[in-house]
Amino acid sequence: MDLKMIGFDAPLFSALQHMLDAAAADDSDKSVSAPTRTYVRDAKAMAATPADVMEYPNSYAFVIDMPGLKSGDIKVQVEDDNVLVISGERRRQEEEEKEGAAKYVRMERRVGKFMRKFVLPENANTNKISAVCQDGVLTVTVEKLPPPEPKKAKTIEVKIA
């Protein structure tokens, strides 16, 4: 059964679908291998990082919640000239185990690596990208390229022979 057909199109579900397909193929064909550990880790990191994408007349904006992170914990890159990658790691505050120190009763805040990849449209100017993290919200702005100027019609003189 294809999970995409019933509305599940997230990277995590794609990894699960691949693993299910590989398990089913084990009975008949040993050439299909399970996804790598790195692929599964990246798929989980992408599924756990929700984002809003907005289009303005002159730019695109990618907005991701990043509470408690410093600018050194967040990495914004462009791969293959058209893939915007936002990644980083959220770490738990290390506290020394000493007498009288607080210990966790419940830990619900997410920690670990996060990552999102966005394929940029053709009119995105990858040389003009800015990123600002304010009040725990990261906003990455990608300027648009100006629209191409329409070509003027070329008039050719007809000569009579």
Side-chain angles (χ1 to χ4, degrees):
M1 176 169 77
D2 191 4
L3 292 173
K4 290 180 182 177
M5 295 187 70
I6 56 174
F8 294 110
D9 197 20
L12 179 61
F13 291 116
S14 296
L16 290 173
Q17 178 68 44
H18 186 74
M19 288 191 312
L20 290 172
D21 291 344
D26 269 351
D27 298 336
S28 61
D29 185 3
K30 298 287 183 183
S31 66
V32 176
S33 63
T36 64
R37 185 174 291 173
T38 304
Y39 177 81
V40 173
R41 182 195 69 214
D42 289 350
K44 286 179 182 178
M46 288 178 68
T49 308
D52 295 336
V53 181
M54 296 173 283
E55 181 177 6
Y56 293 101
N58 295 326
S59 64
Y60 296 97
F62 301 85
V63 181
I64 301 175
D65 291 336
M66 301 280 174
L69 292 178
K70 300 177 189 119
S71 63
D73 298 332
I74 304 168
K75 194 162 50 169
V76 179
Q77 299 174 308
V78 177
E79 294 177 349
D80 302 327
D81 291 332
N82 72 333
V83 179
L84 177 68
V85 180
I86 301 169
S87 61
E89 186 171 5
R90 181 176 288 119
R91 295 181 179 94
R92 186 158 316 277
Q93 208 172 9
E94 296 293 328
E95 296 192 20
E96 295 178 20
E97 297 249 351
K98 56 184 174 182
E99 198 167 319
K103 65 178 181 178
Y104 285 102
V105 176
R106 176 177 285 177
M107 294 190 292
E108 294 182 353
R109 294 186 302 152
R110 186 181 326 239
V111 294
K113 294 186 179 200
F114 61 88
M115 175 179 57
R116 278 307 298 267
K117 291 185 177 185
F118 303 95
V119 177
L120 297 172
E122 289 182 19
N123 67 340
N125 187 350
T126 56
N127 295 323
K128 291 197 175 182
I129 297 177
S130 62
V132 176
C133 192
Q134 181 177 358
D135 298 330
V137 178
L138 174 68
T139 304
V140 179
T141 305
V142 181
E143 298 290 325
K144 288 183 178 179
L145 291 170
E149 299 205 11
K151 293 183 178 180
K152 294 182 181 179
K154 187 175 181 181
T155 306
I156 300 171
E157 182 181 335
V158 177
K159 296 181 183 179
I160 300 176

